[in-house]
Amino acid sequence: SIKYTGVSTFVALLSIPKNIILAIVLTPSDFGFFSALWLFAEWAYLLGPGFLNSSVREFNYHFGKNEFKKADAIEREGNGADLIYTVFICILIAISGLLYSKKEYIFGFIIVSVNHFFNKFILYYYNANYYRDKYNVTASARVIQNGGAALISVALVFFIKEWALFFGQLFASILTVIYYKLKAPYKMHFLFSKKQAFFLFKTRFFL
């Protein structure tokens, strides 16, 4: 849509001065420290069981057939299964820092795990609204998350150096969750069914 294209353009343009400022203030090793820890969150997404992707496909199928109760149930059960996985993986990321003797690694892993948790809640809210055609609220949330992370990182980098990269992402994610909670017409809900979780897990391989 035009609004989403505008949001993407805005975020892309905002990233230019952000990257210039961060490159001036931070060293390559600072970026390396951030990237190394952030890889764990990326792996958590890539190696996940695929509950959300499968539930979105099944939701759209039943929603398109006007089977709204069935679609809602699948969405909630997909959220529930994914939340259990998310809590487990966040704990695993957090305790991974204990493998290192340096305190900054321990602290960094904790921040990454907390941010990953909030990002998943953003995704639950996004799915609940975007696939019900509430594009305005999801587009605004994207501006808050991506634009907010850029602005907060730039504001903090002069004071806390590379930690601005961590806290910029975290604070923007928290603000986005708050925005969704206050403004989203559709809220996230959670149910759990072992049978449905197994079905969604199998379905991921056919996506």
Side-chain angles (χ1 to χ4, degrees):
S1 68
I2 295 177
K3 187 158 190 174
Y4 263 86
T5 302
V7 168
S8 298
T9 303
F10 169 77
V11 172
L13 291 175
L14 188 62
S15 68
I16 296 174
K18 179 205 77 171
N19 290 336
I20 293 174
I21 294 172
L22 294 179
I24 292 173
V25 178
L26 300 178
T27 66
S29 62
D30 293 332
F31 283 105
F33 173 66
F34 171 78
S35 299
L37 268 63
W38 216 256
L39 274 177
F40 284 81
E42 296 297 327
W43 289 339
Y45 280 114
L46 294 175
L47 302 178
F51 295 128
L52 283 186
N53 289 340
S54 299
S55 65
V56 165
R57 192 184 77 163
E58 294 300 314
F59 170 87
N60 287 330
Y61 171 76
H62 291 284
F63 197 83
K65 295 176 64 177
N66 295 327
E67 298 173 351
F68 301 123
K69 289 186 177 180
K70 178 67 173 177
D72 288 345
I74 290 174
E75 179 185 61
R76 295 176 182 190
E77 288 166 344
N79 287 348
D82 188 77
L83 180 61
I84 292 173
Y85 165 75
T86 297
V87 170
F88 168 76
I89 206 68
C90 285
I91 293 173
L92 190 62
I93 292 173
I95 63 177
S96 295
L98 298 177
L99 299 174
Y100 299 87
S101 58
K102 294 183 178 180
K103 291 182 179 179
E104 57 263 31
Y105 278 91
I106 298 174
F107 191 48
F109 274 107
I110 292 174
I111 296 176
V112 169
S113 68
V114 173
N115 188 71
H116 180 68
F117 184 77
F118 277 102
N119 279 339
K120 274 305 186 74
F121 271 72
I122 291 172
L123 192 54
Y124 301 145
Y125 269 120
Y126 174 87
N127 289 343
N129 289 273
Y130 181 83
Y131 294 107
R132 292 180 175 87
D133 299 333
K134 300 302 178 183
Y135 303 124
N136 288 340
V137 69
T138 54
S140 298
R142 187 178 177 189
V143 171
I144 294 172
Q145 184 179 16
N146 296 326
L151 294 174
I152 295 171
S153 296
V154 169
L156 294 178
V157 72
F158 298 100
F159 304 99
I160 57 176
K161 300 297 183 180
E162 70 270 20
W163 291 104
L165 299 172
F166 293 91
F167 284 106
Q169 297 277 356
L170 178 59
F171 292 159
S173 295
I174 294 173
L175 289 174
T176 305
V177 171
I178 293 173
Y179 170 79
Y180 267 129
K181 185 173 181 59
L182 295 175
K183 297 295 184 179
Y186 293 98
K187 309 302 181 183
M188 56 184 177
H189 298 279
F190 302 94
L191 292 173
F192 181 74
S193 164
K194 288 192 292 185
K195 181 179 179 181
Q196 186 68 271
F198 183 65
F199 169 76
L200 293 174
F201 179 74
K202 289 191 302 180
T203 303
R204 68 166 293 194
F205 296 104
F206 301 98
L207 289 175

